[in-house]
Amino acid sequence: MARLSGAGRTRIFSLKAVLWVAGLALALCAGRVLPFANVLDRYGFSQAVYDRNAELLRLTTAPDQQFRLKRELWELSPELVHATLLKEDEFFYYHPGVQPLALARAFWTTFVAGGRRLGGSTITMQLARLHYGLETRGPLGKLTQIAAALWLEYTHSKDEILTAYFNL
């Protein structure tokens, strides 16, 4: 079997790099151009039946036998939304789905310093874990969660992400 010379290997490496960059660019363009289904479209919700006075008569279970009423963000109490953002992800509207400094602090405290387990997950990362059913306790799972969170942020608005978080 013939071996490639240095120039041949460089050309193959360059071609692979160009193809990889082109594929990534195509995926990023698709993320902005193609319509993506709402995160909540794959979940079933309970049905509520009300009387003419808006009193609840009956509430069914969702297909997974859970009680889950779909609510839009504007239907939720502003105080609930504000308190959740303060507790879970204070900078939700200012980051791209992950907070590298919070993740680094959690990694250092948990794995290097041997302290108690700290979380560095944003609301988007928590939604990614729930939506995709990810196991995120190890480093590889956390990297997968980060990639999924970045994808959710790229393909959905902040309000869509927050609505899905509250509904799930």
Side-chain angles (χ1 to χ4, degrees):
M1 189 161 171
R3 290 190 162 255
L4 292 175
S5 66
R9 279 191 298 247
T10 303
R11 260 185 261 133
I12 289 174
F13 176 76
S14 297
L15 179 61
K16 286 181 180 179
V18 167
L19 290 175
W20 190 86
V21 169
L24 180 62
L26 184 63
L28 291 175
C29 288
R32 287 295 181 196
V33 176
L34 297 175
F36 284 89
N38 188 305
V39 175
L40 295 174
D41 286 350
R42 73 184 241 194
Y43 298 94
F45 288 89
S46 302
Q47 296 295 313
V49 179
Y50 298 93
D51 69 8
R52 70 181 115 204
N53 299 320
E55 294 291 324
L56 181 65
L57 295 175
R58 182 167 192 258
L59 184 64
T60 65
T61 57
D64 60 357
Q65 303 305 309
Q66 300 292 318
F67 289 102
R68 188 183 304 116
L69 284 173
K70 186 175 183 183
R71 293 288 177 247
E72 297 300 326
L73 194 56
W74 59 267
E75 295 177 277
L76 301 174
S77 161
E79 291 81 11
L80 171 67
V81 174
H82 182 70
T84 302
L85 288 174
L86 282 177
K87 176 71 174 149
E88 293 294 328
D89 191 352
E90 188 175 0
F91 302 106
F92 174 72
Y93 284 102
Y94 305 105
H95 62 66
V98 297
Q99 287 188 12
L101 291 177
L103 289 170
R105 183 191 74 227
F107 178 82
W108 180 266
T109 303
T110 303
F111 296 109
V112 179
R116 68 179 180 87
R117 292 183 77 93
L118 278 185
S121 295
T122 62
I123 282 178
T124 309
M125 290 174 68
Q126 293 176 45
L127 177 63
R129 181 180 47 80
L130 290 168
H131 182 62
Y132 296 113
L134 302 174
E135 174 53 53
T136 60
R137 292 192 186 270
L140 183 59
K142 192 56 79 174
L143 288 174
T144 305
Q145 183 183 25
I146 289 169
L150 292 171
W151 182 251
L152 283 174
E153 288 274 349
Y154 189 70
T155 56
H156 295 83
S157 72
K158 288 287 191 177
D159 286 346
E160 288 174 328
I161 290 168
L162 198 53
T163 300
Y165 176 81
F166 275 107
N167 279 281
L168 296 179

